[in-house]
Amino acid sequence: MPKNILVIDDEAAVRKSFVLALEDTDYHVDLAESGFKGVEMIGRQNYQLIFLDLKMPGLNGVETLRKIRGIDAAVPVYIITAFYGEYLDELKGLADEGIEFQVLRKPIGSDQILTLTKIVLDQDTGVEWT
């Protein structure tokens, strides 16, 4: 059974980069162009991994993450952003509330996307950590 990944980002090019990075895998990738759409999709489908943009119009990544955690407290969420500094206080607030997430800085390359996804979802990448 394929593992489901959701990419929530308002930039079409970013969403496409995730599709291209993961196209030759057994993962199923869904795309949402807004926080609202992503939350709606999470309400209908179980995801094993979510990549979330931070700076989006409407529902930003911080607000979206709060809503995600109201639906699924355990799914790994990786916030992908070039605007970490602008949201630092809000991200600290999430962490203080016990809301779990990871932050990766844009730009993120195809190799990074694929490696991170395999580490999170498969736990067996063939990579030896020393």
Side-chain angles (χ1 to χ4, degrees):
M1 183 160 131
K3 294 179 181 173
N4 298 312
I5 299 167
L6 178 60
V7 178
I8 305 171
D9 198 300
D10 61 318
E11 293 182 48
V14 172
R15 294 191 308 269
K16 184 170 177 100
S17 69
F18 278 86
V19 169
L20 292 172
L22 300 170
E23 70 183 346
D24 292 327
T25 68
D26 290 332
Y27 307 124
H28 175 80
V29 180
D30 285 334
L31 306 173
E33 67 279 355
S34 70
F36 292 111
K37 180 70 173 171
V39 170
E40 176 186 309
M41 293 171 74
I42 293 164
R44 293 190 319 246
Q45 170 74 44
N46 288 326
Y47 291 96
Q48 286 71 49
L49 176 59
I50 298 172
F51 291 102
L52 173 62
D53 187 22
L54 194 52
K55 188 171 184 175
M56 297 183 290
L59 201 61
N60 71 30
V62 171
E63 296 161 335
T64 302
L65 181 55
R66 277 198 174 94
K67 291 187 179 297
I68 289 170
R69 288 298 181 230
I71 298 167
D72 187 334
V75 63
V77 175
Y78 282 79
I79 294 175
I80 312 291
T81 187
F83 299 98
Y84 179 79
E86 285 182 39
Y87 290 87
L88 189 58
D89 289 339
E90 290 178 80
L91 291 170
K92 284 181 180 177
L94 287 173
D96 290 345
E97 293 171 37
I99 296 175
E100 292 186 18
F101 61 94
Q102 300 294 323
V103 177
L104 298 171
R105 294 185 186 204
K106 286 182 181 174
I108 181 170
S110 293
D111 289 341
Q112 291 171 297
I113 292 168
L114 183 58
T115 300
L116 174 64
T117 300
K118 286 183 176 186
I119 289 170
V120 172
L121 295 181
D122 297 337
Q123 303 296 315
D124 180 19
T125 62
V127 175
E128 300 228 1
W129 304 97
T130 57

